């Protein structure tokens, strides 16, 4: 059981000036499960995942990955550690194609004796690999050569999730991935999340949608004002309990 | 995307047609600059018998060369959502330092290297102050270096032109091979190099990423700061190359060179069809725009339209080009909404 723990956070604290955004948070994410991260606005959810994905750094506490204490100082560190993040704003480049988006910042290029920036792009390999992943995830796009500027909200979301899935080796974090989507497009994204889990990733899912929590998550952690106020196994019967934990009533 | 639910499925069939129409408009916009250039050529050769002569065309090429070189650098900066207002003064300073070094040493190589280094140095200052000074926009720093470089050039040259350039530089700026201006080959060489870098190298991809979405570039681990600085250094270097051509053509260095070159180059990039919104366009846009400005200037000269009106005409063309860019963004938004509606 313990060997399933991929990511473990112990006693994490994060301050923004006088604001205590995270107060002594501990959590564990396990291989092949979806962990829901719940909480009201300003509870500290985004701050917590940004500390995991390297956008912020925790002030106190420890992050271990596969049992090894790891310091994550930048997004590059996080990605190198096998942690992929689908940000709430998607962090897609509108002016680039899906393949170019997939490999932005980690292009397949050579020859390796040249400085990174001067290497020549291997576009064919990046396109083929992207097409393969999109097929595997059953994502249908109007055209693989078109820039993502011309894609619908769900297609863009799918591209962002698929991008994370290419590189995710351990942990995938999704910050409100269905917030802006219609029913069908949301369903598609939820299927992708389930697939990421099936592939053995530890998935951390931030959402305000209780239906999605009960459907996908095997555990739910609730934050309130930077503190962890509960951890339960969500089911159809305890939704009410979850909601009152979130709002603190 | 929030409005997608408002569109009824009954309209789906019509949506399909209008996406086609919108795409057609988008394609038209993308070939617009070249089409306009062709139309200009036809109209002008009808309007003036002197326009479509080998001599005049070679003239246009020579006059366009400096704008074209500097516009390519400007284009890279605009790709990253920036702007370089200092290119004109930068060029002037480079011609002056080059002329002084030539006076002092008589060395062709040193003169050329000085001009290139002077250009690149001003560019490096622009880029570093912008990035490390955490400025919200490069407008202010390049406005400052516009003034500083101009002042330095005037001071160094005592406010006057410094005559005398080595033969090789005079050839690059004013010579010709088989009737084709030598400066044309310089432009072609630089263009080729920049196209290879921007299209096939990782660095080029990073420029487009940084221009498309700066915050995302940081999160994706792209060395955003280095990328930004590199574009200003290259823009400065291009001003330095422009300095070699202009000093060669005029056989002098002068603090008064490069007046309004920022206008011409920014105009060239925008008129050529690159986007002010960042991350869109290619070197070809800068070149087409530069030729268009060269042609407009040349034609207005042939038709005896005075210089004041030329400025007005170019200003109007800039407004039209920027509006075309806004229209393109709007059309893309419509296409996206309709596509989303069709999926619901
Ligand atoms: N960069 C920052 N600087 C200062 N304060 C911040 C910063 N980021 C977050 N905070 C503060 O930290 C607290 C937690 O914010 P956070 O964005 O993590 O909440 P959240 O749970 O993601 O809320 P939401 O559901 O609204 O996205 C808030 O009080 C917020 O104002
Ligand atoms: Mg948040």
């Amino acid at each position: 059981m313990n060997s399933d723990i991929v990511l473990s956070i112990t006693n994490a604290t994060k301050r923004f000036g006088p604001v205590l955004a995270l107060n002594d948070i501990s959590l564990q994410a396990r291989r092949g499960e979806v962990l829901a991260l719940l909480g009201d606005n300003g509870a500290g959810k985004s701050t917590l995942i940004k500390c995991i994905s390297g956008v912020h750094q925790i002030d106190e506490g420890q992050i271990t990955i596969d049992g090894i204490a790891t310091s994550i100082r930048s997004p590059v560190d996080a990605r190198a550690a096998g942690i992929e993040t689908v940000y709430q704003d998607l962090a897609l480049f509108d002016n680039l194609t899906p393949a170019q988006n997939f490999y932005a910042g980690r292009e397949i290029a050579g020859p390796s004796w040249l400085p990174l920036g001067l290497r020549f792009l291997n576009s064919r390999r990046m396109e083929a690999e992207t097409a393969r992943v999109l097929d595997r995830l059953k994502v249908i796009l109007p055209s693989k050569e078109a820039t993502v500027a011309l894609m619908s909200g769900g297609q863009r979301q799918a591209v962002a999730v698929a991008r994370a899935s290419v590189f995710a080796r351990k942990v995938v974090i999704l910050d409100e991935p269905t917030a802006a989507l219609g029913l069908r497009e949301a369903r598609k994204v939820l299927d992708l999340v389930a697939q990421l889990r099936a592939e053995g990733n530890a998935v951390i899912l931030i959402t305000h949608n209780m239906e999605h929590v009960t459907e996908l998550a095997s555990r739910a952690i609730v934050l309130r004002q930077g503190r962890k106020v509960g951890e339960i196994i969500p089911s159809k019967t305890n939704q009410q309990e979850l909601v009152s934990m979130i709002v603190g009533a | 995307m929030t409005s997608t639910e408002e569109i009824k499925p009954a309209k789906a069939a019509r949506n399909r047609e209008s996406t086609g129409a919108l795409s057609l408009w988008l394609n038209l916009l993308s070939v617009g600059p070249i089409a306009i250039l062709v139309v200009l050529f036809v109209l002008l050769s009808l309007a003036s018998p002197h326009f479509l002569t080998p001599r005049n065309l070679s003239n246009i090429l020579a006059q366009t060369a400096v704008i074209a070189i500097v516009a390519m650098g400007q284009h890279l900066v605009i790709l990253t959502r920036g702007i370089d207002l200092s290119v004109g003064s930068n060029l002037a300073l480079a011609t002056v330092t080059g002329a002084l070094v030539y006076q002092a040493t008589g060395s062709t190589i040193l003169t050329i290297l000085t001009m290139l280094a002077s250009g690149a140095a001003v560019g490096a200052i622009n880029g570093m102050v912008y990035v490390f000074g955490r400025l919200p926009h490069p407008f202010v720093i390049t406005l400052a270096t516009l003034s500083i470089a101009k002042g330095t050039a005037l001071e160094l040259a005592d406010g006057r032109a410094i005559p005398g350039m080595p033969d090789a530089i005079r050839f690059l700026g004013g010579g010709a091979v088989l009737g084709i201006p030598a400066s044309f080959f310089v432009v072609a060489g630089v263009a080729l190099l920049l196209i290879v870098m921007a299209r096939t190298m990782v660095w080029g991809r990073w420029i487009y990423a940084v221009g498309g979405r700066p915050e995302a570039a940081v999160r994706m681990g792209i060395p955003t700061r280095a990328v930004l600085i590199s574009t200003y250094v290259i823009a400065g270097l291009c001003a330095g190359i422009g300095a070699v051509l202009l000093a060669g053509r005029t056989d002098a260095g002068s603090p008064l060179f490069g007046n309004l070159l920022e206008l011409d180059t920014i105009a060239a990039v925008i008129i050529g069809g690159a986007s002010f919104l960042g991350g869109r366009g290619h070197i070809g846009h800068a070149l087409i725009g530069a030729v268009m400005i060269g042609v407009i200037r040349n034609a207005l000269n042939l038709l005896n339209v005075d210089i004041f009106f030329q400025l007005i005409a170019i200003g109007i063309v800039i407004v039209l080009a920027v509006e075309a860019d806004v229209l393109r963004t709007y059309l893309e938004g419509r296409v996206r909404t309709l596509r989303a509606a069709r999926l619901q």
Side-chain angles (χ1 to χ4, degrees):
Chain A
M1 184 73 198
N2 268 355
S3 67
D4 277 350
I5 296 174
V6 187
L7 171 79
S8 160
I9 295 175
T10 26
N11 310 114
T13 299
K14 174 73 189 171
R15 285 188 189 81
F16 293 112
V19 180
L20 194 54
L22 297 179
N23 185 357
D24 199 26
I25 304 273
S26 298
L27 67 79
Q28 289 165 343
R30 301 199 180 100
R31 204 179 312 284
E33 76 161 13
V34 173
L35 170 67
L37 194 53
L38 310 177
D40 219 341
N41 290 0
K45 308 180 294 292
S46 293
T47 305
L48 178 57
I49 63 123
K50 281 178 179 165
C51 287
I52 304 171
S53 56
V55 177
H56 299 318
Q57 289 87 49
I58 51 175
D59 297 327
E60 287 154 43
Q62 202 178 37
I63 297 179
T64 61
I65 294 165
D66 282 339
I68 300 158
T70 311
S71 75
I72 300 173
R73 278 189 229 91
S74 70
V76 179
D77 285 352
R79 293 174 119 193
I83 300 168
E84 283 294 316
T85 309
V86 179
Y87 295 93
Q88 190 158 5
D89 64 9
L90 301 186
L92 287 179
F93 303 95
D94 273 351
N95 57 333
L96 300 183
T97 65
Q100 292 169 344
N101 264 289
F102 269 47
Y103 287 94
R106 45 195 164 190
E107 292 78 6
I108 300 177
S112 53
W113 51 267
L114 279 173
L116 189 52
L118 298 183
R119 290 184 195 163
F120 292 93
L121 297 162
N122 189 340
S123 296
R124 201 177 314 149
R125 236 184 90 197
M126 292 190 276
E127 276 155 25
E129 190 66 14
T130 303
R132 204 179 57 73
V133 171
L134 290 174
D135 281 350
R136 177 167 60 87
L137 295 177
K138 302 183 189 70
V139 175
I140 297 158
L141 300 177
S143 150
K144 292 188 172 83
E145 283 85 53
T147 61
V148 297
L150 294 173
M151 292 177 188
S152 76
Q155 289 165 339
R156 293 156 62 82
Q157 196 87 49
V159 169
V161 177
R163 172 173 66 182
S165 82
V166 182
F167 297 98
R169 285 174 289 109
K170 288 174 184 158
V171 181
V172 184
I173 301 168
L174 304 103
D175 197 347
E176 303 199 29
T178 58
L181 301 185
L183 283 180
R184 260 168 69 172
E185 296 202 312
R187 172 56 29 212
K188 185 95 212 175
V189 169
L190 293 178
D191 291 345
L192 290 182
V193 174
Q195 199 147 346
L196 287 176
R197 170 180 62 185
E199 284 166 8
N201 293 293
V203 179
I204 300 177
L205 177 69
I206 297 181
T207 178
H208 290 288
N209 186 317
M210 290 304 136
E211 305 293 325
H212 297 168
V213 173
T214 42
E215 177 189 331
L216 282 171
S218 34
R219 282 183 304 133
I221 285 177
V222 181
L223 301 187
R224 196 164 67 231
Q225 292 174 351
R227 288 188 150 278
K228 179 169 154 185
V229 293
E231 173 166 352
I232 58 179
I233 294 168
S235 67
K236 290 223 160 36
T237 50
N238 63 10
Q239 267 192 26
Q240 203 49 49
E241 191 185 335
L242 256 182
V243 172
S244 44
M245 215 184 259
I246 290 167
V247 299
Chain B
M1 272 145 272
T2 40
S3 65
T4 54
E5 278 84 7
E6 293 159 30
I7 297 170
K8 297 273 167 339
K11 290 188 182 164
R14 222 176 66 208
N15 284 345
R16 194 149 318 171
E17 288 157 31
S18 27
T19 329
L22 289 172
S23 302
L24 184 69
W25 277 108
L26 279 173
N27 287 332
L28 271 181
L29 274 177
S30 71
V31 298
I34 291 191
I36 293 171
L37 195 56
V38 170
V39 171
L40 259 177
F41 261 86
V42 172
L43 286 182
L44 290 173
S45 37
L46 294 177
S48 164
H50 306 295
F51 181 75
L52 211 57
T53 58
R55 204 187 134 86
N56 189 50
L57 290 183
S58 150
N59 239 336
I60 294 180
L61 281 184
Q63 285 164 1
T64 309
V66 173
I67 299 179
I69 290 265
V70 183
M72 287 190 277
Q74 185 75 262
H75 162 72
L76 291 176
V77 168
I78 288 180
L79 265 185
T80 62
R81 302 189 177 192
I83 194 163
D84 187 347
L85 298 177
S86 70
V87 287
S89 308
N90 188 354
L91 177 142
L93 177 61
T95 64
V96 167
T97 52
L100 289 175
V101 166
Y102 182 54
Q103 273 189 347
T105 67
S107 155
T108 304
I109 294 289
L110 278 184
T111 306
I112 292 182
L113 287 181
T114 302
M115 293 202 220
L116 301 185
S118 166
V122 173
I125 293 172
N126 284 335
M128 306 239 255
V129 174
Y130 170 41
V131 166
F132 295 116
R134 295 173 187 274
L135 301 183
H137 196 272
F139 183 92
V140 178
I141 175 58
T142 59
L143 188 64
T145 48
L146 178 157
S147 181
I148 294 169
K150 191 80 170 184
T152 312
L154 283 165
E155 181 65 34
L156 286 176
D158 217 2
R160 286 187 299 267
I162 305 169
M165 279 291 146
D167 287 346
I169 294 182
R170 290 221 312 273
F171 172 75
L172 286 177
V177 185
L178 305 169
I180 300 170
S183 53
F184 171 81
F185 296 101
V186 178
V187 174
V190 172
L192 215 62
L193 193 66
L194 285 180
I195 288 171
V196 167
M197 289 180 79
R199 286 281 153 191
T200 69
M201 286 183 177
V202 172
W203 172 81
R205 181 64 47 76
W206 286 347
I207 287 191
Y208 283 90
V210 169
R213 195 85 182 275
E215 336 76 73
V218 174
R219 289 192 218 153
M220 293 299 133
I222 292 169
T224 314
R225 295 173 152 194
V227 171
L228 285 175
I229 292 173
S230 75
T231 62
Y232 288 89
V233 172
I234 292 178
L237 193 58
C238 286
I241 301 172
V244 173
L245 297 185
L246 191 55
R249 200 170 85 214
T250 55
D251 194 16
S254 166
L256 303 177
F257 279 159
N259 227 354
L260 288 184
L261 189 60
E262 67 286 343
L263 171 76
D264 280 346
T265 55
I266 294 167
V269 171
I270 300 302
I271 293 173
S275 174
F276 236 135
L277 308 171
R280 290 188 196 217
H282 48 76
I283 299 291
H285 287 137
L287 291 177
I288 292 168
V291 172
M292 220 186 296
I293 287 191
V295 168
I296 292 173
R297 285 253 156 92
N298 174 268
L300 296 175
N301 275 336
L302 286 182
L303 302 172
N304 284 323
V305 180
D306 72 47
I307 181 88
F308 306 135
F309 184 74
Q310 293 185 20
L311 283 174
I312 298 174
I314 287 177
I316 292 172
V317 177
I318 295 176
V319 174
L320 293 177
V322 171
E323 277 306 319
D325 188 24
V326 172
L327 179 63
R328 175 175 52 201
T329 312
Y330 166 78
L331 289 176
E332 282 180 0
R334 292 288 304 157
V335 169
R336 182 161 57 198
T337 316
L338 291 173
R339 285 229 172 104
R342 212 189 305 155
L343 289 173
Q344 289 296 315

